[in-house]
């Protein structure tokens, strides 16, 4: 159930085809081989921290492998697009990549995938190879598009911030010029002072127009207070509080998952997702919380059964003051899911979403285990 979104499909799952199981069994060595080649061939990746380089690739790999199980649901294809978009978005926020680097690393992924499968004796039929190639091509397009969109959003935020900050020195210069004009007895000085006032007023008007023309989020950056904590303990705490209102199943191993995160912000994000699952999910089905880990990253999944979120709403639900149109929500503004994304991104992570009638709805918060090097990362949400 949505295990592909966390990169945790099982190589012994009987519901998966033999070729999917064989691919999943090679997940770790294949991803390691990919990371090594990316570091060697993509200059911007050479010094990337491991959890940032790894990104959402485990989830992407598992979702790609699931395509080779006959009868897979349309959800898996949708998932692939969502993971590809998050990959490109995280590259825009967390690296010095350009679009060419995003494309190059996914081309390397394709080469490594087919090479390693052949090296380990995993034989692909021509149709299976064609399926993987076609979806990797689609991934390259979607990742590059997401990279460009997020990069443009970050540029808008930067320009808007600069325009806002410019207004203070402009105002100071204008007041000083007005004072000179009022106090000077020299006609020439007064004339130049009037020119300065007129120019600063014009510049102030231009910055106001720029600010009005940019859709700039006024909520400001997410402020994080990072401390060492146990994600398992936090998820259990949230689950216990939610059980008062709705049945909750917790799928967590006995071991703690220690890391550096902002406890208050992460708790609020998980609570937001759980509250949404209670509000919009099926009343007769338990909510499921799952904690898992990949290399230097942790995933927290919140899953519920119920009416699915339409594919066309998969992005708008994360936008400030917008809600999905098929959930029976009516008019209103929503800030919960945008906050979830902002918190994940500010930790250097991502949020993945998958929804279908047969498999329900799952949100996955995917964060670096140690968010300290990435705290305060730019957020496009």
């Amino acid at each position: 159930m949505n295990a592909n979104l966390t990169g945790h499909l099982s190589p012994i799952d009987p519901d998966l085809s033999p070729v999917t199981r064989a691919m999943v069994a090679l997940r770790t060595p294949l991803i390691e081989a990919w990371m090594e080649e990316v570091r060697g061939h993509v200059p911007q990746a050479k010094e990337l921290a491991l959890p940032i380089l790894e990104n959402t690739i485990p989830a992407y790999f598992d979702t790609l492998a699931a395509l080779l199980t006959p009868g897979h649901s349309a959800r898996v294809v949708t998932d692939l697009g969502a993971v590809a978009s998050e990959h490109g978005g995280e590259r825009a926020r967390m690296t010095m990549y350009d679009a060419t680097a995003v494309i190059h690393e996914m081309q390397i992924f394709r080469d490594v995938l087919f090479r390693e499968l052949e090296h380990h004796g995993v034989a692909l039929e021509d149709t299976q190879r064609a399926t993987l190639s076609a979806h990797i091509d689609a991934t390259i397009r979607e990742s590059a598009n997401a990279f460009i969109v997020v990069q443009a959003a970050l540029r808008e935020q930067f320009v808007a911030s600069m325009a806002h900050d410019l207004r203070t020195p402009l105002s100071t210069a204008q007041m000083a010029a007005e004072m000179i004009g009022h106090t000077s007895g020299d006609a020439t000085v007064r004339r130049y002072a009037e020119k300065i006032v007129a120019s600063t007023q014009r510049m102030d008007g231009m910055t106001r127009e720029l600010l009005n023309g940019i859709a700039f989020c006024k909520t400001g950056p997410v402020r994080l207070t990072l401390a060492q904590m146990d994600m398992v303990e936090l998820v259990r705490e949230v689950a216990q509080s939610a059980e008062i209102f709705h049945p909750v199943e917790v799928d967590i191993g006995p071991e703690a998952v220690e890391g550096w995160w902002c406890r208050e912000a992460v708790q609020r994000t998980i609570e937001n997702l759980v509250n949404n699952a209670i509000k919009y999910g099926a009343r007769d089905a338990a909510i499921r919380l799952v904690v898992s880990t990949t290399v230097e990253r942790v995933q927290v999944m919140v899953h519920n059964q119920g009416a699915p979120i339409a594919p066309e709403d998969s992005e708008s639900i994360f936008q400030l003051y917008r809600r999905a149109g098929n959930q029976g929500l009516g008019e209103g503004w929503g800030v919960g899911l945008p906050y979830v994304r902002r918190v994940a991104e500010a930790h250097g992570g991502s949020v993945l979403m998958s929804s279908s009638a047969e498999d329900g709805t799952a949100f996955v918060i995917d964060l670096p285990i140690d968010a300290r090097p990435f705290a305060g990362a730019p957020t496009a949400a």
Side-chain angles (χ1 to χ4, degrees):
M1 183 194 302
N2 304 106
N4 59 292
L5 277 190
T6 62
H8 286 85
L9 286 183
S10 171
I12 61 173
D13 186 343
D15 292 333
L16 300 176
S17 68
V19 68
T20 296
R21 293 199 299 269
M23 284 183 63
V24 171
L26 295 173
R27 180 197 303 117
T28 298
L30 195 148
I31 291 176
E32 288 177 350
W34 170 76
M35 289 195 289
E36 182 178 353
E37 292 212 14
V38 169
R39 286 197 192 279
H41 293 90
V42 180
Q44 299 94 323
K46 187 175 181 181
E47 303 298 331
L48 280 185
L50 181 57
I52 301 304
L53 179 60
E54 179 189 31
N55 191 272
T56 57
I57 291 298
Y60 175 71
F61 176 82
D62 278 15
T63 306
L64 195 67
L67 289 172
L68 300 187
T69 294
H72 64 76
S73 70
R75 175 187 65 78
V76 177
V77 177
T78 303
D79 287 354
L80 205 60
V83 177
S85 294
E86 286 299 320
H87 172 80
E90 191 168 320
R91 285 294 187 249
R93 294 183 290 102
M94 299 302 300
T95 72
M96 298 301 292
Y97 275 38
D98 54 23
T100 300
V102 175
I103 294 169
H104 190 190
E105 71 172 4
M106 294 312 299
Q107 291 172 328
I108 292 172
F109 179 90
R110 174 168 49 202
D111 294 342
V112 170
L113 173 67
F114 292 134
R115 185 192 70 206
E116 292 298 310
L117 291 180
E118 182 178 357
H119 176 71
H120 288 87
V122 179
L124 296 175
E125 299 174 359
D126 289 345
T127 55
Q128 292 172 332
R129 189 181 184 93
T131 294
L132 294 179
S133 291
H135 283 285
I136 292 172
D137 284 342
T139 295
I140 291 173
R141 292 192 297 271
E142 290 168 3
S143 293
N145 285 339
F147 177 90
I148 292 168
V149 168
V150 171
Q151 197 174 59
L154 295 176
R155 281 199 299 267
E156 281 190 352
Q157 291 183 15
F158 174 77
V159 170
S161 178
M162 287 292 294
H164 181 271
D165 292 345
L166 277 172
R167 296 190 68 191
T168 298
L170 279 174
S171 177
T172 301
Q174 180 180 328
M175 288 190 294
E178 288 174 345
M179 185 173 294
I180 291 172
H182 290 317
T183 58
S184 176
D186 190 316
T188 302
V189 171
R190 289 199 303 271
R191 187 168 64 254
Y192 282 123
E194 290 172 0
K195 288 180 180 290
I196 295 173
V197 170
S199 294
T200 55
Q201 287 176 337
R202 183 164 176 248
M203 290 175 66
D204 186 59
M206 292 168 65
T207 57
R208 282 200 307 271
E209 288 178 9
L210 183 60
L211 285 170
N212 290 336
I214 293 177
F216 184 57
C217 180
K218 301 296 184 183
T219 57
V222 177
R223 300 189 183 279
L224 303 179
T225 303
L226 300 183
Q228 194 166 23
M229 54 168 279
D230 177 10
M231 188 67 77
V232 168
E233 179 184 43
L234 175 59
V235 171
R236 289 192 188 280
E237 181 180 317
V238 173
Q240 288 172 359
S241 298
E243 283 176 336
I244 301 172
F245 307 99
H246 193 94
V248 177
E249 295 177 359
V250 180
D251 185 357
I252 299 173
E255 307 241 344
V257 178
E258 296 281 350
W260 288 81
W261 306 289
C262 178
R263 194 181 200 283
E264 181 180 356
V266 173
Q267 180 173 349
R268 184 177 166 191
T269 63
I270 299 172
E271 288 174 344
N272 274 329
L273 293 178
V274 170
N275 290 338
N276 280 349
I278 293 173
K279 188 173 183 179
Y280 304 122
R283 295 184 179 277
D284 57 349
I287 295 166
R288 187 163 171 253
L289 273 69
V290 183
V291 177
S292 58
T293 59
T294 53
V295 180
E296 296 195 18
R297 292 177 77 108
V298 62
Q299 299 83 35
V300 179
M301 176 189 290
V302 178
H303 174 271
N304 67 270
Q305 296 291 347
I309 297 170
E312 61 268 22
D313 289 325
S314 61
E315 178 58 30
S316 67
I317 58 174
F318 289 106
Q319 295 174 9
L320 198 63
Y321 307 132
R322 292 189 63 181
R323 284 180 170 175
N326 69 329
Q327 299 292 299
L329 303 179
E331 297 293 329
W333 290 352
V335 296
L337 289 178
Y339 178 79
V340 169
R341 173 175 275 183
R342 285 166 61 80
V343 168
E345 291 180 350
H347 279 84
S350 295
V351 177
L352 302 172
M353 189 278 290
S354 174
S355 187
S356 68
E358 57 267 75
D359 293 317
T361 298
F363 287 88
V364 176
I365 305 168
D366 190 340
L367 308 176
I369 289 286
D370 186 351
R372 287 177 295 179
F374 322 115
T379 65

